């Protein structure tokens, strides 16, 4: 679907995850042009990764959702991205601009597997003090997604390890993305 989104886009950073509780595969891919990027999300229709897939994308006009990471729980799927400004340079080249921050894109599993079209995606605002949310692959029962993230420690050479959780549902309007907490210095 990348070519249908943009004939001039390049694609990068593929990720895939098998969720045994739903017997589904979830795959993500970043695609970009000089005018913006997109996060592609595909979900298999069964446990067979060579079978049919539902394919969706979330556009990021004027931004690149770089380095997607993928995790899930029994009720949610989350993709972490690092957002950068992007613009067109000479000859249509991509000019990467300022780092805007790490963000999470969250979807309900029920919405992904219902076959009823594009899922509703809840997006957090980019947090410039965070870098690379890494949501966990939830291989045990539980509704919350747990994630680690690099947090700016005020220096130019190091970062602190942070923890955040995502709970609730997108459809229920009760989604809660907890602010990251630094794990540095904890017993």
């Amino acid at each position: 679907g990348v070519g249908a989104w943009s004939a001039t886009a390049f694609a990068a950073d593929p990720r895939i995850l098998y969720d045994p509780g739903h017997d589904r595969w979830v795959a993500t891919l970043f695609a970009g042009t000089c005018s913006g990027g997109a996060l592609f999300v595909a979900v298999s229709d069964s446990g067979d990764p060579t079978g049919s897939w539902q394919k969706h994308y979330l556009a990021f006009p004027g931004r690149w959702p770089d380095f997607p990471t993928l995790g899930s729980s029994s009720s949610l799927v989350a993709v972490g991205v690092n957002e950068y400004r992007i613009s067109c340079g000479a000859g249509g080249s991509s000019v990467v601009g300022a780092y805007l921050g790490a963000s999470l894109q969250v979807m309900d599993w029920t919405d992904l597997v219902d076959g009823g079209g594009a899922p509703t995606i809840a997006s957090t605002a980019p947090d410039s003090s965070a870098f690379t949310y890494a949501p966990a692959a939830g291989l045990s029962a539980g509704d919350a997604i747990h994630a680690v993230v690099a947090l700016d420690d005020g220096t130019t050479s190091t970062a602190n390890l942070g923890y955040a959780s995502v709970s609730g549902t997108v459809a229920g309007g009760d989604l809660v993305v907890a602010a990251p907490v630094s794990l540095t210095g904890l017993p």
Side-chain angles (χ1 to χ4, degrees):
V2 173
W5 172 71
S6 171
T8 62
F10 71 91
D13 299 333
R15 305 282 184 264
I16 191 164
L17 170 82
Y18 176 71
D19 186 285
H22 294 92
D23 191 29
R24 296 286 197 280
W25 292 87
V26 181
T28 60
L29 180 74
F30 157 70
T33 69
C34 68
S35 60
L39 175 66
F40 286 77
V41 178
V43 180
S44 66
D45 288 325
S46 71
D48 178 4
T50 65
S52 60
W53 291 69
Q54 297 176 47
K55 302 167 194 161
H56 314 284
Y57 75 89
L58 175 62
F60 286 75
R63 299 170 288 149
W64 273 2
D66 193 31
F67 195 72
T69 57
L70 181 60
S72 68
S73 70
S74 61
S75 61
L76 300 169
V77 172
V79 182
V81 297
N82 292 322
E83 295 187 39
Y84 291 87
R85 288 252 183 249
I86 191 69
S87 61
C88 296
S93 64
S94 297
V95 178
V96 179
Y99 176 66
L100 299 173
S103 66
L104 286 168
Q105 318 312 307
V106 183
M107 298 147 271
D108 293 333
W109 260 114
T110 54
D111 202 13
L112 283 171
V113 299
D114 71 359
T120 301
I121 300 174
S123 300
T124 64
D127 179 351
S128 63
S129 70
F131 193 76
T132 310
Y133 274 102
L139 300 179
S140 60
D143 292 331
I145 290 180
H146 306 278
V148 292
V149 62
L151 297 173
D152 186 352
D153 71 349
T155 70
T156 58
S157 60
T158 62
N160 292 328
L161 180 64
Y163 165 81
S165 65
V166 181
S167 59
T169 62
V170 176
D174 60 347
L175 190 71
V176 175
V177 179
V181 175
S182 176
L183 299 178
T184 303
L186 294 179

